[in-house]
Structures are given as C-alpha cells and as structure tokens.
C-alpha cells in the first residue's frame, strides 16, 4: 500500500511539474563576447599575437619538489584489508612518490583572449591533394589536462585512404588550468569559457569547426554548440549530460518502470537508482567542496605534492572503474602508466593551478548559470555521443534528443571509463572519426537538397 501511495505521489509530482513547466525554451543568454577577465590595467595593451610556447620545469621547481617529497611526513597507514574505500591508500602513495618524473611534445602556443593568456596545442597534419583539413576543438576536463589526448593525437590526425579529410586539432587548457591563466574576477563559468574558446578559434582563423569534449569539456562544449550553433559543424562528446528537469523526472520514473525510460540491455547502467545515488553520495564529496570552498582545500593541495597526488590520482582510480575502490593499488596501473598520470599531475603542480581549476565548480553550480537554463535550449548542431561502460553517469539516448534534436548517433562502448581518450585512445579516436565522417556526409546531403 505504501508503495502504491509513493508511486502515485511521484506520478502526481511528475505531472504537475511537467505540465506547469514552460514548454518554450528560454532565450539564448546574452553574453558579452568581449568580456575582459584579465587584470584591468592590461586592457589597453592587449597583445593579440600567437606565440610558440614550451612547457619547462625549471631547476628551482624540480629541486623544490624533490625537497618536499623528501621531507614528507609518515602518512597515516590505511585500515586493515582496505583498498581505496577510505580514499587514496597511503601504502600505494609511497610507490608513486618515489617515482614522480617529468615531460615535452607537440607544438604549444599561447595567445591572449579577453585578458587571459590561453595555452593550446595545435597539431596540423600534412595532407596530400584531395584531402581536406578540418579543424576540431578538443576539450579536456578536471582533473585532466591536454595530456589526456597525447596518445590519441596521432590517431585523430592520421591521414587515411578511407577518408577525404584529416583533422587539425586545437587543444586548449581551460582558463585556470595548466598554463592558461585564470580569471582575476568571479563569473568565468562554462558559458563564458565557451565564448573564450570560440574567440580563440576566430583568432586562429577558424570561423567553422568541430567540437569534442569530455567532463568539463563536454559541459563547455554543450554550451558552445548552443550559443554558437551557427559556427559549429558537429559536436562529439564522451560524457552525456543534460541537466534538465525533464531528464531528472524521467530518470526517477524509470526506477519504477525502467522499460519506459531505458533499453533493457543498458538498464544496469542507470538502475537500480539506489545504487546510482549511493555511489553518487560516496564519490561526490569533492564536488560539494569545490563548488563551495575551493580556495580552502586549495591551500593544502598547493602546499603538499603528496596531498595533490593523492587527491587527483584517487579520481583516476575510481572514475576509471568503480571496482578499483577495493584494490590496494587503486587499479591505477592496470589502465595507465605512472608517466602518464604524473605528466598530467605536473600540469597542476608546476603552474600551481589546482585552486583555480577547482573554482570552475563554483562558477558553474550557482544561481547565475542555472538561471540561463542552457540545457533547456535545444541546439541544431549535429551531435554524436559515446557512452563508455564505466562512465560516471548514463543518459538514455532519447532523453539526449531534447537537448540535441540532431543526435546522429549514440554509441555504447562495453568498456572504458571517464577518461576515455586517455584510457582507450584507439576506440576513442575511431568513434570521433566515425562521427566526423557522418557529420560531413550529412552536410553534403543538405547541400545537395539545397541545390
Ligand atoms: C552509429 O554507430 C553504430 C555503432 O558504432 C554504427 O554501426 C552505425 O553505423 C552508426 N550510425 C551512423 C548514422 O553513423
């Protein structure tokens, strides 16, 4: 009986909210495309040139890091028979701290956009006649970096006789991440960063381009393809996110009637909802801290390389496979090498960017950005979403179409976690190239029917 009452009340809430919620999407947010995020005094002397850039870890930094690692305290031992359940296993931490190493590769540049020095990698493949170069903006997330794409870059930019195009990649660091400078004032959230990256593409001469993203890259990407839908040729994402009331309500409804919401073969990616939410509560403490008090935890992480390593690599453990939680070594080296993970870590350690990277959570999860309701504004940009088996969340394809009515494909991988490009560069690149091929075919057909 209680269950029936509960079901009916859910249904009542659902119907009320659904029918009372406005059916027309909100207008596109009015954003200032020239907003200045840098120091005020530099506004009049902006240097808009594009300068080659090299990542260098100077001797002072390296010596300081060695010293800090040497004088580290004896860490609190883990509880008996515990893996990563209580956080980074401190026995495993020692093996990482003994290894920490350094790197450099691909052409790096910096250019000033709206007061921010934006760091980016640009890879332009040599193409034979008849092969068209097409630009793609490739966006990373937290706690990742441009380093996540190093293994995928040669695969994505490869020239193949099976394709009449090759990708030219523009891979920027998000403002406040790696070597891109942070804003000096509040308000630089994902919609505003979308403006910065679109302006970067304009600076480089690209008026139309493709976009790919995961994690923050998928959130910024989704905003970019909404605000600048006339400039984006196609959008590929490896994290599905639609933060709308409708998708939330249907997800709840599916807890009782899964077949209404999700195909049976994918049901275990979303249900039982109790497991989904208990995982959420167990794993999302960082999100609450970073969305509210990033500067406080930032003090500790900036002061301690050991702390920074534990905080960031714990995410690479659990977000790659949830069952890595029960392993003493966090399963880290089953999917990545120490070099890969420490390279990525260096892009937080060397530029001291951990605090400014975490601020992005506060600049997103706030009333100002929610009020824009960007996820309620459909975008006509052709979209292709790949959902890896072990991604943090799952959104059924049909729910994606409210935001992306031009969903060309939603591929489901039976493997792979949150850092898909980093973990499975081959499968990731193949999926992206399949998507670009499909987007280009669509354009050709549209052009044909227009003639
Ligand atoms: C969608 O993806 C599947 C699986 O990769 C593929 O077989 C199919 O051809 C794709 N559809 C389109 C329209 O490209």
């Amino acid at each position: 009986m209680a269950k029936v009452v509960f079901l009916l009340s859910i249904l009542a809430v659902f119907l009320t909210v659904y029918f009372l919620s406005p059916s027309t999407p909100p207008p596109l947010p009015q954003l200032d495309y020239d907003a200045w995020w840098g120091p005020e005094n530099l506004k009049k002397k902006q240097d808009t040139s594009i300068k080659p850039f090299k990542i260098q870890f100077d001797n002072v930094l390296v010596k300081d890091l060695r010293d800090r690692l040497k004088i580290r305290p004896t860490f609190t031992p883990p509880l008996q028979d515990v893996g990563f359940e209580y956080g980074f296993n401190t026995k495993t931490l020692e093996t990482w701290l003994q290894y920490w190493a350094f790197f450099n590769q691909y052409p790096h540049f910096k250019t000033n956009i709206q007061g921010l020095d934006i760091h980016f990698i640009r890879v332009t493949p040599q193409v034979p006649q008849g092969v068209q170069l097409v630009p793609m903006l490739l966006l990373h997330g937290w706690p990742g970096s441009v380093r996540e794409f190093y293994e995928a870059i040669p695969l994505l930019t490869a020239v193949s006789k099976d394709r009449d195009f090759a990708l030219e990649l523009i891979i920027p660091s998000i403002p406040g991440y790696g070597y891109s400078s942070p804003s000096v004032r509040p308000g630089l959230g994902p919609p505003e960063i979308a403006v910065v990256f679109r302006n970067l593409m304009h600076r480089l001469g690209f008026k139309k381009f493709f976009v790919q993203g995961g994690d923050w890259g998928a959130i910024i990407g989704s905003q970019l393809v909404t605000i600048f839908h006339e400039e984006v040729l196609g959008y590929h994402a490896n994290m599905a996110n639609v933060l709308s009331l409708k998708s939330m309500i249907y997800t709840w409804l599916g807890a009782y009637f899964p077949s209404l919401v999700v195909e049976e073969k994918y049901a275990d990616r979303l249900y039982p909802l109790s497991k989904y939410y208990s995982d959420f509560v167990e794993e999302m403490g960082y999100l609450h801290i970073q969305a509210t008090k990033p500067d406080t935890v930032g003090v500790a992480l900036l002061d301690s390389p050991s702390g920074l390593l534990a905080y960031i690599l714990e995410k690479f453990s659990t977000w790659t496979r949830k069952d890595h939680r029960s392993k003493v070594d966090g399963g880290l080296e089953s999917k990545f090498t120490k070099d890969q993970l420490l390279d990525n870590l260096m892009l937080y350690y060397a530029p001291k960017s951990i605090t400014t990277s975490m601020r992005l959570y506060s600049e997103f999860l706030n009333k100002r950005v929610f009020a824009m309701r960007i996820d309620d504004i459909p975008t006509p940009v052709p979209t292709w979403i790949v959902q890896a088996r072990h991604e943090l969340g799952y959104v059924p394809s049909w729910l994606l179409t409210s935001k992306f009515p031009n969903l060309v494909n939603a591929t489901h991988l039976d493997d792979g976690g949150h850092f898909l490009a980093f973990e499975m560069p081959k499968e990731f690149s193949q999926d992206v190239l399949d998507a670009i091929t499909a987007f280009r075919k669509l354009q050709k057909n549209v052009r044909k029917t227009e003639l």
Side-chain angles (χ1 to χ4, degrees):
M1 183 60 198
K3 203 164 174 185
V4 174
V5 172
F6 183 55
L7 262 179
L8 284 177
S9 49
I10 291 224
L11 201 65
V13 170
F14 160 73
L15 292 173
T16 317
V17 175
Y18 189 77
F19 288 108
L20 287 184
S21 63
S23 53
T24 48
L28 277 176
Q30 297 293 315
L31 295 168
D32 175 3
Y33 296 172
D34 299 313
W36 189 260
W37 299 103
E40 206 64 59
N41 59 335
L42 295 183
K43 205 167 178 175
K44 293 225 165 58
K45 359 174 207 185
Q46 190 192 14
D47 175 358
T48 57
S49 63
I50 296 158
K51 297 193 172 67
F53 174 74
K54 215 174 182 148
I55 294 180
Q56 269 165 340
F57 305 131
D58 62 45
N59 291 339
V60 177
L61 179 124
V62 173
K63 183 173 177 310
D64 177 70
L65 174 58
R66 288 226 175 92
D67 289 349
R68 281 169 191 264
L69 291 174
K70 224 184 283 162
I71 60 161
R72 64 179 177 271
T74 308
F75 297 112
T76 311
L79 293 166
Q80 265 176 26
D81 304 321
V82 156
F84 263 49
E85 291 94 337
Y86 285 75
F88 205 101
N89 187 301
T90 46
K91 266 192 211 150
T92 299
L93 185 62
E94 282 299 331
T95 67
W96 281 89
L97 297 178
Q98 281 160 23
Y99 190 85
W100 198 327
F102 310 113
F103 81 111
N104 230 332
Q105 201 178 339
Y106 301 119
H108 293 252
F109 302 91
K110 271 190 178 185
T111 190
N112 192 282
I113 308 279
Q114 299 168 255
L116 303 169
D117 280 333
I118 298 297
H119 158 249
F120 62 99
I121 293 173
R122 178 177 186 173
V123 182
T124 313
Q126 294 291 327
V127 293
Q129 246 192 350
V131 172
Q132 197 188 349
L133 261 186
V134 298
M136 186 170 86
L137 181 66
L138 192 51
L139 302 173
H140 72 87
W142 186 93
S145 66
V146 297
R147 178 63 183 82
E148 284 179 78
F149 300 117
Y150 274 34
E151 287 73 17
I153 287 171
L155 305 170
L156 287 169
T157 54
V159 174
S160 158
K161 57 177 175 10
D162 302 330
R163 292 188 293 268
D164 60 357
F165 71 92
L167 288 177
E168 169 164 25
L169 300 178
I170 312 300
I171 315 173
S173 294
I174 297 173
Y177 285 63
Y179 291 91
S180 282
S181 56
S183 172
V184 299
R185 61 186 64 83
L188 183 65
E192 293 78 15
I193 294 173
V195 173
V196 171
F197 285 159
R198 174 269 200 173
N199 289 347
L200 170 68
M201 292 308 267
H202 279 220
R203 170 79 49 83
L204 299 178
F206 302 119
K207 292 276 165 7
K208 293 207 167 178
F209 48 91
F210 293 98
V211 177
Q212 200 292 327
D215 195 84
W216 280 120
I219 293 174
I220 295 165
S222 166
Q223 318 236 335
L224 199 158
V225 305
T226 307
I227 302 166
F228 299 109
H229 56 87
E230 282 169 351
E231 299 179 28
V232 182
L233 298 165
Y235 173 50
H236 181 281
N238 58 300
M239 185 180 84
N241 66 96
V242 180
L243 295 174
S244 69
L245 197 58
K246 182 177 164 193
S247 92
M248 214 147 60
I249 288 168
Y250 274 106
T251 308
W252 287 334
L253 200 65
Y256 293 93
F257 311 102
S259 59
L260 274 184
V261 175
V262 61
E263 278 178 79
E264 204 185 331
K265 61 184 166 186
Y266 304 128
D268 66 342
R269 294 185 179 209
L270 192 51
Y271 300 115
L273 217 48
S274 54
K275 186 175 175 305
Y276 196 82
Y277 282 129
S278 73
D279 276 340
F280 192 87
V281 170
E282 201 169 323
E283 297 303 328
M284 296 292 147
Y286 87 100
L287 184 101
H288 198 166
I289 292 178
Q290 294 177 192
T292 52
K293 305 285 184 275
D295 287 22
T296 309
V297 63
V299 172
L301 296 179
L302 197 74
D303 205 31
S304 159
S306 314
L308 183 70
L309 186 148
Y311 196 74
I312 287 186
L313 293 206
E314 180 215 290
K315 301 294 177 253
F316 278 88
S317 161
T318 312
W319 292 359
T320 296
R321 294 290 182 281
K322 281 195 193 86
D323 62 12
H324 282 177
R325 266 191 307 225
S326 60
K327 298 190 156 109
V328 171
D329 66 359
L332 284 163
E333 286 174 271
S334 65
K335 301 294 172 189
F336 306 104
T337 65
K338 273 200 169 84
D339 282 338
Q340 285 181 300
L341 293 174
L342 290 175
D343 281 356
N344 178 70
L345 189 65
M346 273 312 265
L347 292 180
Y348 287 84
Y349 182 78
K352 302 186 180 0
S353 62
I354 184 66
T355 302
T356 51
S357 75
M358 295 189 297
R359 282 184 189 155
L360 185 48
Y361 290 81
S362 315
E363 297 296 4
F364 179 56
L365 299 166
N366 60 52
K367 286 191 202 131
R368 184 183 64 82
V369 175
F370 285 158
M372 293 184 190
R373 290 176 53 212
I374 293 188
D375 278 5
D376 287 326
I377 310 174
T379 172
V381 171
T383 298
W384 179 305
I385 310 258
V386 53
Q387 305 211 61
R389 178 68 188 87
H390 304 281
E391 182 52 279
L392 301 177
Y394 178 76
V395 184
S397 310
W398 71 273
L399 271 177
L400 290 169
T401 56
S402 63
K403 171 71 190 167
F404 306 107
N406 258 326
L407 190 69
V408 176
N409 212 347
T411 43
H412 290 75
L413 299 184
D414 282 332
D415 200 2
H418 184 65
F419 305 96
L420 192 61
F422 207 24
E423 181 195 340
M424 297 175 52
K426 244 175 90 181
E427 290 78 0
F428 168 81
S429 304
Q430 190 56 54
D431 201 74
V432 172
L433 289 165
D434 287 347
I436 307 286
T437 305
F439 295 152
R440 282 169 59 84
K441 219 183 206 162
L442 266 175
Q443 284 160 18
K444 276 182 200 145
N445 290 343
V446 170
R447 245 176 270 142
K448 252 185 229 148
T449 49
E450 275 171 359
L451 285 179

